[in-house]
């Protein structure tokens, strides 16, 4: 499942639920472009499915590093 970030207003909660939330070590096996695109997609989906969580809480729950690059 891919959510077009520029056209996310058409996406439903069900669309976001279809996105596989990969841990950072799983993303590390991908190339830079695919990894970066997946991170944006994962963060967008996680935020839509878990409103109100801070960035730090979200990154911790996703098992992603809390650093400048991921924020």
């Amino acid at each position: 499942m891919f959510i077009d970030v520029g056209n996310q207003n058409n996406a439903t909660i069900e669309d976001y639920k279809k996105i596989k939330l990969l841990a950072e070590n799983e993303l590390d096996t991908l190339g830079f472009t695919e990894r970066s695109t997946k991170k944006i997609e994962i963060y967008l989906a996680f935020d839509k499915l878990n409103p109100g969580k801070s960035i730090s809480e979200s990154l911790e729950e996703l098992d992603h590093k809390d650093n400048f690059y991921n924020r």
Side-chain angles (χ1 to χ4, degrees), residues 21-26 42-43 45-47 49-66:
L21 303 177
L22 301 171
E24 194 154 29
N25 63 344
E26 294 173 292
I42 289 167
Y43 296 163
F46 192 85
D47 185 57
L49 296 171
N50 300 280
K53 287 202 180 227
S54 72
I55 293 170
S56 294
E57 289 173 318
S58 298
L59 290 170
E60 182 178 336
E61 199 165 318
L62 287 167
D63 197 21
H64 287 218
K65 295 175 190 152
D66 188 357

Side-chain angles (χ1 to χ4, degrees):
M1 179 70 198
F2 177 76
I3 302 293
D4 179 358
V5 176
N7 198 17
Q8 61 184 298
N9 291 332
N10 295 331
T12 66
I13 291 297
E14 292 307 312
D15 293 331
Y16 289 110
K17 288 180 180 178
K18 293 176 187 173
I19 295 172
K20 185 175 180 189
L21 303 177
L22 301 171
E24 194 154 29
N25 63 344
E26 294 173 292
L27 289 169
D28 287 343
T29 64
L30 306 174
F32 176 78
T33 303
E34 187 177 5
R35 179 176 61 242
S36 298
T37 303
K38 288 272 187 207
K39 275 189 178 187
I40 292 169
E41 184 180 70
I42 289 167
Y43 296 163
L44 176 62
F46 192 85
D47 185 57
K48 294 290 184 182
L49 296 171
N50 300 280
K53 287 202 180 227
S54 72
I55 293 170
S56 294
E57 289 173 318
S58 298
L59 290 170
E60 182 178 336
E61 199 165 318
L62 287 167
D63 197 21
H64 287 218
K65 295 175 190 152
D66 188 357
N67 59 24
F68 178 78
Y69 179 72
N70 290 341
R71 291 178 155 262

